[in-house]
Amino acid sequence: MKGFSIRKRLDEIKNRSERAFIPYIMAGDPDFRETEKRLRILSEGGADIIELGVPFTDPLADGPTIQRASERALKGGVNLRKILNFLKDLKGSLDCPIVLMTYLNPVYCYGIERFFADAKEANVAGVIFPDLTFEESLPYRVLAQKYQIDTIFLVAPTSTPNRIKKIVQACTGFVYYVSITGITGSSLRLDDTFKDHINFVKSFKKPVCVGFGVSSAEEAKYVSQFADGVIVGSAIVKIFHENPERAIEFIKSLREAI
Amino acid sequence: MGRKRGYFGDYGGRFVPETLMPALEELERAFGRAKVDKDFINEFESLLKDYVGRPTPLYFARRLTEYFKGAKIYLKREDLAHTGAHKINNALGQALLASRLMKKERIIAETGAGQHGVATATAASLTGLNCEIYMGTEDIRRQALNVFRMNLLGARVVPVDTGSKTLKDAINEALRDWTTNVRTTHYVMGTVFGPHPYPSLVRFFQSIIGREARKQILKKEGKLPSVLIACVGGGSNSIGLFSAFLNDRDVQMIGVEAGGFGINSGKHAARFAHAAKGIFQGCFSYVLEDRDGNILQTHSVSAGLDYASVGPEHAYLHDIKRVKYTYATDEEALEAFELLSRLEGIIPALESAHAVAECIKIAPTMPKDSIIVVNLSGRGDKDVQEVARIKGKFI
């Protein structure tokens, strides 16, 4: 599977011997005007791809920072339909391709095919469903293919070789390698077992991006040695919420480190 | 079981972050081994007998029967099991599985009212496992006594202060803990819900209720009951009872959900009355959700039924019409709570009182030679203070 625009972008970056910087923010946290502002800051700050979260009441794969961002967005009445309309209005004015990260239930309730059709219309380049296992994924992958949207699945340090093989096959955009601890800001010292594991994931020749709860430029630099891209979520959501005046500088430091 | 592994018809499946998948596969393998492991089954059954006090009696409620002058009413006395509810059957089974077959050091669980937390803490103490119980801060406030019981049993209760601060948030937090500590820890899910294999695993350990009841009623009456009634939160006590009778086409079954303040009030936990479906906490089933797929706040006087979704096997049994699902309101459950206390000297759990409430509705309409079996899933000591508060009395 060759993939679509996300894959293309990552291949270009790889050909330049660079690493992708992939920041995450929550859509509608706290409102869409702010989200648009943040998207532009990230895009101008050198993001290669932006992950945009869809709020959900029960985000069980996320830690407290993103859960609270989700609650703020829900409080403002944000839903999937509004997010897709918002992206549609932005169409063309953002350099960065958008990957939508959403739990399955909002998509199921929206209508699965309608979601993919409207996402295409809104220029969504890729999708991540954190609670979709590859075993359940066939109907979603068929539609992603039809609407030329990249699929991105998660691989964990506990994933067995057999699972990894199948998961990597299901990814058309990139493979999202997640930390087992999921604890933001934990000091990153990775042992050889881990390095072997991630090298195994990379041996299938698909881009592998790592999301580790990276919270500083040093950590981003460290992780970028092993990965085709570095995903930064909680730390960015947090700085936009708590110290927005320092956000631009922080994003610049991440970009330079990766 | 449906066509696909882990499915009941269209319902069930596995919708979890990849971090949990290896653990679920490990659990599925261990469960497969346990089912055919004679030593494991013998140890489990011997503990059910000597530690839990099984078989629990099937009791003929004479005064209740005479009061309604209709069907003969039997109560399956799960309230007499150790720790006061059916929850111990499953908690013990899973703790044994974790310590004997999976060699884990630690078990965790979620709890709403505290009954499953107490049962898990008890099983952890018996099997020598470390134990942490996740509980919403709102539930901790309402169930202080059970929090103290869990501490006495050596478990740590972890307060959950996110979302609605109740059962569903405790499940999210327990799943996150499991994601992090999956190598050393087993997650003891308390009901026939969540990702495969939990619905089948919990059913397996709870099916003892139905097997006993079937044998007991045949011995006492020489025939099968006309109707089985059980309350349905996640649905483990009801599946436990129903599972032994599913092939008996003449046995009707009724599952009773929490009607709260009534369906029109929007404050209830009657998933089948609401009729929406979705993907929530690991499986596909009926869910109380808004149009955007966000999970709604639920209400019931009984914390054990106060949950936004329902086990996938129930969803299937509902759709094929094998089980009829109805609801009892808070008010009806409270009436049943008092009636059973007064007529039979049995104070039922508020959860079980919902099943009794349905029995009160149908017993008078049935002929005298018909038989109702009500699953009395737990005892009501834990609810006495809450009922006193509702009645405006302070104790």
Side-chain angles (χ1 to χ4, degrees):
Chain A
M1 185 56 53
K2 196 62 201 115
F4 306 106
S5 57
I6 294 292
R7 180 67 189 278
K8 203 166 143 246
R9 163 97 32 150
L10 285 167
D11 285 345
E12 287 163 12
I13 292 167
K14 196 168 190 164
N15 288 339
R16 298 199 302 264
S17 301
E18 289 172 8
R19 306 276 182 264
F21 168 40
I22 309 177
Y24 168 101
I25 57 170
M26 175 64 69
D29 166 29
D31 56 44
F32 281 120
R33 227 176 65 186
E34 185 62 28
T35 302
E36 182 174 350
K37 203 172 108 194
R38 291 176 187 180
L39 287 174
R40 296 201 190 285
I41 290 175
L42 292 170
S43 181
E44 283 156 23
D48 296 298
I49 294 164
I50 300 174
E51 248 183 62
L52 191 63
V54 175
F56 180 51
T57 38
D58 296 82
L60 64 87
D62 287 301
T65 303
I66 290 175
Q67 177 155 24
R68 304 235 188 270
S70 194
E71 284 167 12
R72 289 193 293 272
L74 288 174
K75 210 175 215 174
V78 170
N79 60 25
L80 187 53
R81 180 178 52 79
K82 289 182 188 170
I83 292 168
L84 291 172
N85 286 338
F86 162 75
L87 289 174
K88 206 168 160 184
D89 292 342
L90 282 186
K91 199 169 178 176
S93 72
L94 212 62
D95 286 338
C96 233
I98 298 280
V99 167
L100 219 50
M101 179 149 176
T102 173
Y103 288 85
L104 282 177
N105 206 40
V107 174
Y108 174 79
C109 290
Y110 191 88
I112 302 171
E113 173 139 22
R114 192 177 140 225
F115 164 76
F116 278 100
D118 291 356
K120 183 73 203 166
E121 194 74 357
N123 225 20
V124 170
V127 283
I128 306 173
F129 306 116
D131 52 352
L132 180 63
T133 54
F134 83 83
E135 284 89 343
E136 307 282 355
S137 69
L138 190 62
Y140 296 85
R141 283 189 283 137
V142 167
L143 289 168
Q145 190 74 25
K146 178 173 170 189
Y147 291 96
Q148 300 185 306
I149 290 174
D150 272 314
T151 51
I152 295 145
F153 285 85
L154 275 51
V155 163
T158 45
S159 302
T160 53
N162 192 29
R163 291 192 63 76
I164 291 170
K165 228 180 274 174
K166 292 177 188 162
I167 295 169
V168 171
Q169 271 171 18
C171 296
T172 64
F174 61 85
V175 184
Y176 189 144
Y177 195 97
V178 290
S179 122
I180 183 86
T181 62
I183 295 166
T184 309
S186 59
S187 63
L188 289 165
R189 278 202 9 256
L190 309 174
D191 59 20
D192 290 342
T193 328
F194 164 78
K195 285 175 195 161
D196 290 346
H197 195 257
I198 199 164
N199 280 333
F200 179 73
V201 180
K202 284 166 80 178
S203 70
F204 297 94
K205 307 291 173 208
K206 289 253 174 88
V208 178
C209 300
V210 178
F212 259 103
V214 172
S215 61
S216 68
E218 295 79 62
E219 288 169 350
K221 191 181 170 91
Y222 181 70
V223 168
S224 69
Q225 298 169 47
F226 321 107
D228 298 307
V230 181
I231 300 156
V232 187
S234 300
I236 287 177
V237 169
K238 201 168 176 166
I239 205 157
F240 270 127
H241 182 60
E242 290 174 5
N243 301 95
E245 72 286 350
R246 286 185 36 224
I248 293 178
E249 184 197 337
F250 181 60
I251 285 152
K252 220 176 110 195
S253 73
L254 288 170
R255 173 68 275 183
E256 281 166 7
I258 290 167
Chain B
M1 276 292 198
R3 282 175 296 114
K4 275 166 74 186
R5 197 165 56 110
Y7 275 83
F8 303 88
D10 291 338
Y11 304 100
R14 254 180 196 166
F15 298 92
V16 292
E18 172 62 20
T19 33
L20 290 181
M21 282 304 291
L24 290 170
E25 289 182 336
E26 182 194 357
L27 179 61
E28 188 178 10
R29 283 192 302 272
F31 176 38
R33 288 206 309 277
K35 282 191 282 195
V36 294
D37 182 336
K38 283 206 180 98
D39 292 341
F40 178 86
I41 299 291
N42 284 342
E43 188 179 5
F44 178 54
E45 288 184 347
S46 127
L47 283 171
L48 284 181
K49 178 166 172 285
D50 298 329
Y51 186 74
V52 177
R54 303 204 72 94
T56 59
L58 183 71
Y59 164 72
F60 174 52
R62 183 180 309 277
R63 299 240 302 145
L64 197 63
T65 300
E66 283 168 2
Y67 186 81
F68 291 113
K69 301 183 175 63
K72 291 178 87 168
I73 301 167
Y74 281 87
L75 304 176
K76 179 61 175 161
R77 300 290 308 274
E78 291 299 297
D79 60 318
L80 293 176
H82 181 45
T83 73
H86 72 291
K87 292 287 185 191
I88 189 72
N89 304 328
N90 167 55
L92 194 57
Q94 288 199 45
L96 276 184
L97 196 66
S99 70
R100 301 287 186 275
L101 266 58
M102 294 194 289
K103 309 288 177 207
K104 301 285 183 187
E105 302 155 14
R106 175 175 177 261
I107 51 178
I108 55 170
E110 81 293 344
T111 198
Q115 291 307 98
H116 175 55
V118 168
T120 304
T122 301
S125 151
L126 182 72
T127 49
L129 294 165
N130 294 322
C131 180
E132 293 190 65
I133 305 292
Y134 286 86
M135 190 169 186
T137 48
E138 182 59 24
D139 289 331
I140 288 178
R141 188 188 61 72
R142 289 190 289 199
Q143 299 286 342
L145 185 65
N146 271 339
V147 174
F148 189 69
R149 286 170 82 194
M150 288 183 266
N151 289 334
L152 269 181
L153 292 159
R156 195 167 82 88
V157 177
V158 187
V160 176
D161 200 27
T162 48
S164 61
K165 302 169 190 182
T166 58
L167 179 61
K168 81 177 171 70
D169 309 284
I171 293 179
N172 288 337
E173 226 35 68
L175 283 169
R176 286 186 188 120
D177 177 317
W178 200 28
T179 304
T180 310
N181 301 302
V182 71
R183 289 188 173 102
T184 58
T185 300
H186 171 65
Y187 174 30
V188 182
M189 179 159 273
T191 189
V192 287
F193 192 71
H196 176 65
Y198 281 109
S200 307
L201 177 70
V202 178
R203 175 198 217 261
F204 178 75
F205 290 130
Q206 292 294 3
S207 62
I208 184 77
I209 303 172
R211 288 202 308 277
E212 284 176 7
R214 198 169 189 284
K215 219 181 278 174
Q216 288 165 323
I217 197 70
L218 284 173
K219 196 166 170 210
K220 282 178 197 274
E221 292 283 346
K223 62 175 181 178
L224 291 171
S226 327
V227 182
L228 307 174
I229 306 176
C231 64
V232 182
S236 71
N237 88 76
S238 45
I239 285 291
L241 177 66
F242 295 169
S243 58
F245 298 88
L246 286 172
N247 294 327
D248 302 314
R249 303 315 298 184
D250 293 335
V251 178
Q252 286 180 50
M253 303 180 192
I254 304 176
V256 188
E257 298 184 282
F261 294 134
I263 303 306
N264 292 335
S265 73
K267 292 184 169 158
H268 61 83
R271 290 70 46 105
F272 291 116
H274 182 76
K277 299 171 191 179
I279 297 157
F280 177 55
Q281 290 182 332
C283 65
F284 178 61
S285 185
Y286 283 77
V287 185
L288 287 168
E289 63 196 355
D290 66 17
R291 277 172 47 204
D292 299 327
N294 285 303
I295 309 307
L296 293 172
Q297 303 257 6
T298 51
H299 164 80
S300 169
V301 68
S302 97
L305 303 184
D306 197 353
Y307 185 62
S309 189
V310 60
E313 188 173 5
H314 284 291
Y316 173 65
L317 293 171
H318 169 269
D319 284 11
I320 64 167
K321 299 189 165 58
R322 179 64 187 96
V323 177
K324 179 187 149 196
Y325 293 86
T326 180
Y327 59 86
T329 62
D330 284 359
E331 208 181 319
E332 290 164 340
L334 286 164
E335 273 171 32
F337 179 87
E338 290 189 33
L339 189 73
L340 195 68
S341 302
R342 229 175 40 243
L343 284 182
E344 294 287 351
I346 297 170
I347 302 175
L350 280 175
E351 290 78 13
S352 322
H354 285 70
V356 177
E358 175 64 15
C359 176
I360 290 173
K361 286 181 205 166
I362 66 168
T365 69
M366 291 170 64
K368 286 192 169 168
D369 61 347
S370 57
I371 300 165
I372 298 176
V373 172
V374 177
N375 201 14
L376 208 70
S377 55
R379 69 174 183 226
D381 308 40
K382 68 179 175 66
D383 297 314
V384 167
Q385 204 163 9
E386 181 65 6
V387 173
R389 192 187 63 77
I390 291 165
K391 292 173 68 84
K393 293 182 181 150
F394 295 94
I395 48 173

PDB file of all heavy atoms in Angstrom, chain A residues 67-86:
ATOM      1  N   GLN A  67      -7.603  14.844  28.461  1.00  0.00           N
ATOM      2  CA  GLN A  67      -8.982  14.676  28.929  1.00  0.00           C
ATOM      3  C   GLN A  67      -9.600  16.012  29.340  1.00  0.00           C
ATOM      4  O   GLN A  67     -10.745  16.311  29.023  1.00  0.00           O
ATOM      5  CB  GLN A  67      -9.027  13.697  30.108  1.00  0.00           C
ATOM      6  CG  GLN A  67     -10.443  13.564  30.660  1.00  0.00           C
ATOM      7  CD  GLN A  67     -10.705  12.267  31.371  1.00  0.00           C
ATOM      8  OE1 GLN A  67      -9.789  11.615  31.867  1.00  0.00           O
ATOM      9  NE2 GLN A  67     -11.955  11.865  31.450  1.00  0.00           N
ATOM     10  N   ARG A  68      -8.824  16.847  30.027  1.00  0.00           N
ATOM     11  CA  ARG A  68      -9.368  18.148  30.455  1.00  0.00           C
ATOM     12  C   ARG A  68      -9.598  19.061  29.244  1.00  0.00           C
ATOM     13  O   ARG A  68     -10.566  19.809  29.202  1.00  0.00           O
ATOM     14  CB  ARG A  68      -8.449  18.831  31.464  1.00  0.00           C
ATOM     15  CG  ARG A  68      -8.152  17.979  32.681  1.00  0.00           C
ATOM     16  CD  ARG A  68      -8.477  18.666  34.007  1.00  0.00           C
ATOM     17  NE  ARG A  68      -7.986  17.863  35.131  1.00  0.00           N
ATOM     18  CZ  ARG A  68      -8.700  16.915  35.748  1.00  0.00           C
ATOM     19  NH1 ARG A  68      -9.942  16.675  35.388  1.00  0.00           N
ATOM     20  NH2 ARG A  68      -8.174  16.209  36.733  1.00  0.00           N
ATOM     21  N   ALA A  69      -8.715  18.981  28.250  1.00  0.00           N
ATOM     22  CA  ALA A  69      -8.897  19.769  27.024  1.00  0.00           C
ATOM     23  C   ALA A  69     -10.195  19.333  26.336  1.00  0.00           C
ATOM     24  O   ALA A  69     -10.967  20.143  25.828  1.00  0.00           O
ATOM     25  CB  ALA A  69      -7.712  19.567  26.098  1.00  0.00           C
ATOM     26  N   SER A  70     -10.436  18.022  26.372  1.00  0.00           N
ATOM     27  CA  SER A  70     -11.644  17.452  25.795  1.00  0.00           C
ATOM     28  C   SER A  70     -12.882  17.995  26.510  1.00  0.00           C
ATOM     29  O   SER A  70     -13.870  18.381  25.883  1.00  0.00           O
ATOM     30  CB  SER A  70     -11.548  15.932  25.941  1.00  0.00           C
ATOM     31  OG  SER A  70     -12.494  15.287  25.158  1.00  0.00           O
ATOM     32  N   GLU A  71     -12.803  18.044  27.829  1.00  0.00           N
ATOM     33  CA  GLU A  71     -13.933  18.569  28.609  1.00  0.00           C
ATOM     34  C   GLU A  71     -14.192  20.049  28.289  1.00  0.00           C
ATOM     35  O   GLU A  71     -15.349  20.461  28.172  1.00  0.00           O
ATOM     36  CB  GLU A  71     -13.662  18.395  30.121  1.00  0.00           C
ATOM     37  CG  GLU A  71     -13.862  16.949  30.577  1.00  0.00           C
ATOM     38  CD  GLU A  71     -13.317  16.666  31.981  1.00  0.00           C
ATOM     39  OE1 GLU A  71     -12.970  17.621  32.716  1.00  0.00           O
ATOM     40  OE2 GLU A  71     -13.220  15.467  32.346  1.00  0.00           O
ATOM     41  N   ARG A  72     -13.112  20.815  28.112  1.00  0.00           N
ATOM     42  CA  ARG A  72     -13.294  22.242  27.777  1.00  0.00           C
ATOM     43  C   ARG A  72     -13.984  22.393  26.417  1.00  0.00           C
ATOM     44  O   ARG A  72     -14.883  23.212  26.248  1.00  0.00           O
ATOM     45  CB  ARG A  72     -11.938  22.958  27.739  1.00  0.00           C
ATOM     46  CG  ARG A  72     -11.295  23.152  29.102  1.00  0.00           C
ATOM     47  CD  ARG A  72     -10.126  24.128  29.030  1.00  0.00           C
ATOM     48  NE  ARG A  72      -8.990  23.645  28.266  1.00  0.00           N
ATOM     49  CZ  ARG A  72      -7.983  22.904  28.768  1.00  0.00           C
ATOM     50  NH1 ARG A  72      -7.984  22.571  30.048  1.00  0.00           N
ATOM     51  NH2 ARG A  72      -6.987  22.508  28.009  1.00  0.00           N
ATOM     52  N   ALA A  73     -13.573  21.566  25.461  1.00  0.00           N
ATOM     53  CA  ALA A  73     -14.163  21.657  24.124  1.00  0.00           C
ATOM     54  C   ALA A  73     -15.639  21.241  24.147  1.00  0.00           C
ATOM     55  O   ALA A  73     -16.485  21.888  23.532  1.00  0.00           O
ATOM     56  CB  ALA A  73     -13.374  20.783  23.155  1.00  0.00           C
ATOM     57  N   LEU A  74     -15.936  20.167  24.880  1.00  0.00           N
ATOM     58  CA  LEU A  74     -17.324  19.694  24.952  1.00  0.00           C
ATOM     59  C   LEU A  74     -18.216  20.740  25.607  1.00  0.00           C
ATOM     60  O   LEU A  74     -19.360  20.941  25.213  1.00  0.00           O
ATOM     61  CB  LEU A  74     -17.409  18.382  25.720  1.00  0.00           C
ATOM     62  CG  LEU A  74     -16.853  17.141  25.009  1.00  0.00           C
ATOM     63  CD1 LEU A  74     -16.855  15.939  25.944  1.00  0.00           C
ATOM     64  CD2 LEU A  74     -17.655  16.824  23.744  1.00  0.00           C
ATOM     65  N   LYS A  75     -17.687  21.398  26.584  1.00  0.00           N
ATOM     66  CA  LYS A  75     -18.427  22.440  27.290  1.00  0.00           C
ATOM     67  C   LYS A  75     -18.826  23.553  26.315  1.00  0.00           C
ATOM     68  O   LYS A  75     -19.895  24.135  26.442  1.00  0.00           O
ATOM     69  CB  LYS A  75     -17.541  23.016  28.395  1.00  0.00           C
ATOM     70  CG  LYS A  75     -18.319  23.525  29.589  1.00  0.00           C
ATOM     71  CD  LYS A  75     -17.356  23.966  30.665  1.00  0.00           C
ATOM     72  CE  LYS A  75     -17.895  23.677  32.052  1.00  0.00           C
ATOM     73  NZ  LYS A  75     -16.878  23.978  33.067  1.00  0.00           N
ATOM     74  N   GLY A  76     -17.964  23.803  25.335  1.00  0.00           N
ATOM     75  CA  GLY A  76     -18.269  24.818  24.326  1.00  0.00           C
ATOM     76  C   GLY A  76     -19.156  24.291  23.197  1.00  0.00           C
ATOM     77  O   GLY A  76     -19.365  24.982  22.202  1.00  0.00           O
ATOM     78  N   GLY A  77     -19.656  23.065  23.335  1.00  0.00           N
ATOM     79  CA  GLY A  77     -20.590  22.533  22.343  1.00  0.00           C
ATOM     80  C   GLY A  77     -19.931  22.010  21.069  1.00  0.00           C
ATOM     81  O   GLY A  77     -20.578  21.890  20.027  1.00  0.00           O
ATOM     82  N   VAL A  78     -18.660  21.704  21.138  1.00  0.00           N
ATOM     83  CA  VAL A  78     -17.956  21.221  19.947  1.00  0.00           C
ATOM     84  C   VAL A  78     -18.347  19.774  19.644  1.00  0.00           C
ATOM     85  O   VAL A  78     -18.474  18.963  20.553  1.00  0.00           O
ATOM     86  CB  VAL A  78     -16.425  21.318  20.178  1.00  0.00           C
ATOM     87  CG1 VAL A  78     -15.669  20.605  19.073  1.00  0.00           C
ATOM     88  CG2 VAL A  78     -16.007  22.769  20.270  1.00  0.00           C
ATOM     89  N   ASN A  79     -18.563  19.482  18.374  1.00  0.00           N
ATOM     90  CA  ASN A  79     -18.794  18.095  17.977  1.00  0.00           C
ATOM     91  C   ASN A  79     -18.135  17.836  16.627  1.00  0.00           C
ATOM     92  O   ASN A  79     -17.579  18.751  16.006  1.00  0.00           O
ATOM     93  CB  ASN A  79     -20.291  17.748  17.957  1.00  0.00           C
ATOM     94  CG  ASN A  79     -21.063  18.625  16.972  1.00  0.00           C
ATOM     95  OD1 ASN A  79     -20.495  19.139  16.006  1.00  0.00           O
ATOM     96  ND2 ASN A  79     -22.342  18.793  17.224  1.00  0.00           N
ATOM     97  N   LEU A  80     -18.197  16.597  16.172  1.00  0.00           N
ATOM     98  CA  LEU A  80     -17.507  16.209  14.949  1.00  0.00           C
ATOM     99  C   LEU A  80     -17.986  17.004  13.737  1.00  0.00           C
ATOM    100  O   LEU A  80     -17.194  17.441  12.906  1.00  0.00           O
ATOM    101  CB  LEU A  80     -17.699  14.696  14.734  1.00  0.00           C
ATOM    102  CG  LEU A  80     -16.924  14.035  13.610  1.00  0.00           C
ATOM    103  CD1 LEU A  80     -15.430  14.321  13.696  1.00  0.00           C
ATOM    104  CD2 LEU A  80     -17.151  12.518  13.649  1.00  0.00           C
ATOM    105  N   ARG A  81     -19.286  17.211  13.656  1.00  0.00           N
ATOM    106  CA  ARG A  81     -19.838  17.950  12.512  1.00  0.00           C
ATOM    107  C   ARG A  81     -19.271  19.364  12.444  1.00  0.00           C
ATOM    108  O   ARG A  81     -18.847  19.844  11.395  1.00  0.00           O
ATOM    109  CB  ARG A  81     -21.372  18.001  12.644  1.00  0.00           C
ATOM    110  CG  ARG A  81     -22.092  18.740  11.523  1.00  0.00           C
ATOM    111  CD  ARG A  81     -23.616  18.699  11.711  1.00  0.00           C
ATOM    112  NE  ARG A  81     -24.028  19.158  13.049  1.00  0.00           N
ATOM    113  CZ  ARG A  81     -24.106  20.435  13.403  1.00  0.00           C
ATOM    114  NH1 ARG A  81     -23.827  21.399  12.541  1.00  0.00           N
ATOM    115  NH2 ARG A  81     -24.483  20.780  14.624  1.00  0.00           N
ATOM    116  N   LYS A  82     -19.243  20.027  13.610  1.00  0.00           N
ATOM    117  CA  LYS A  82     -18.703  21.396  13.639  1.00  0.00           C
ATOM    118  C   LYS A  82     -17.219  21.412  13.290  1.00  0.00           C
ATOM    119  O   LYS A  82     -16.741  22.345  12.653  1.00  0.00           O
ATOM    120  CB  LYS A  82     -18.923  22.011  15.027  1.00  0.00           C
ATOM    121  CG  LYS A  82     -20.390  22.327  15.303  1.00  0.00           C
ATOM    122  CD  LYS A  82     -20.547  22.989  16.666  1.00  0.00           C
ATOM    123  CE  LYS A  82     -22.019  23.125  17.034  1.00  0.00           C
ATOM    124  NZ  LYS A  82     -22.182  23.539  18.445  1.00  0.00           N
ATOM    125  N   ILE A  83     -16.498  20.386  13.739  1.00  0.00           N
ATOM    126  CA  ILE A  83     -15.062  20.322  13.446  1.00  0.00           C
ATOM    127  C   ILE A  83     -14.841  20.168  11.939  1.00  0.00           C
ATOM    128  O   ILE A  83     -13.994  20.841  11.348  1.00  0.00           O
ATOM    129  CB  ILE A  83     -14.390  19.175  14.226  1.00  0.00           C
ATOM    130  CG1 ILE A  83     -14.403  19.489  15.723  1.00  0.00           C
ATOM    131  CG2 ILE A  83     -12.955  18.948  13.742  1.00  0.00           C
ATOM    132  CD1 ILE A  83     -14.021  18.322  16.610  1.00  0.00           C
ATOM    133  N   LEU A  84     -15.630  19.305  11.309  1.00  0.00           N
ATOM    134  CA  LEU A  84     -15.471  19.100   9.868  1.00  0.00           C
ATOM    135  C   LEU A  84     -15.838  20.370   9.094  1.00  0.00           C
ATOM    136  O   LEU A  84     -15.167  20.740   8.129  1.00  0.00           O
ATOM    137  CB  LEU A  84     -16.293  17.898   9.407  1.00  0.00           C
ATOM    138  CG  LEU A  84     -15.765  16.536   9.914  1.00  0.00           C
ATOM    139  CD1 LEU A  84     -16.743  15.416   9.579  1.00  0.00           C
ATOM    140  CD2 LEU A  84     -14.381  16.218   9.347  1.00  0.00           C
ATOM    141  N   ASN A  85     -16.874  21.069   9.549  1.00  0.00           N
ATOM    142  CA  ASN A  85     -17.232  22.339   8.901  1.00  0.00           C
ATOM    143  C   ASN A  85     -16.136  23.378   9.066  1.00  0.00           C
ATOM    144  O   ASN A  85     -15.813  24.122   8.134  1.00  0.00           O
ATOM    145  CB  ASN A  85     -18.541  22.891   9.487  1.00  0.00           C
ATOM    146  CG  ASN A  85     -19.737  22.093   8.995  1.00  0.00           C
ATOM    147  OD1 ASN A  85     -19.659  21.424   7.957  1.00  0.00           O
ATOM    148  ND2 ASN A  85     -20.833  22.140   9.738  1.00  0.00           N
ATOM    149  N   PHE A  86     -15.577  23.402  10.262  1.00  0.00           N
ATOM    150  CA  PHE A  86     -14.476  24.332  10.560  1.00  0.00           C
ATOM    151  C   PHE A  86     -13.291  24.070   9.622  1.00  0.00           C
ATOM    152  O   PHE A  86     -12.719  24.999   9.036  1.00  0.00           O
ATOM    153  CB  PHE A  86     -14.087  24.154  12.031  1.00  0.00           C
ATOM    154  CG  PHE A  86     -12.738  24.680  12.420  1.00  0.00           C
ATOM    155  CD1 PHE A  86     -12.531  26.053  12.562  1.00  0.00           C
ATOM    156  CD2 PHE A  86     -11.676  23.820  12.667  1.00  0.00           C
ATOM    157  CE1 PHE A  86     -11.284  26.549  12.935  1.00  0.00           C
ATOM    158  CE2 PHE A  86     -10.425  24.302  13.038  1.00  0.00           C
ATOM    159  CZ  PHE A  86     -10.229  25.672  13.164  1.00  0.00           C
TER     160      PHE A  86
END
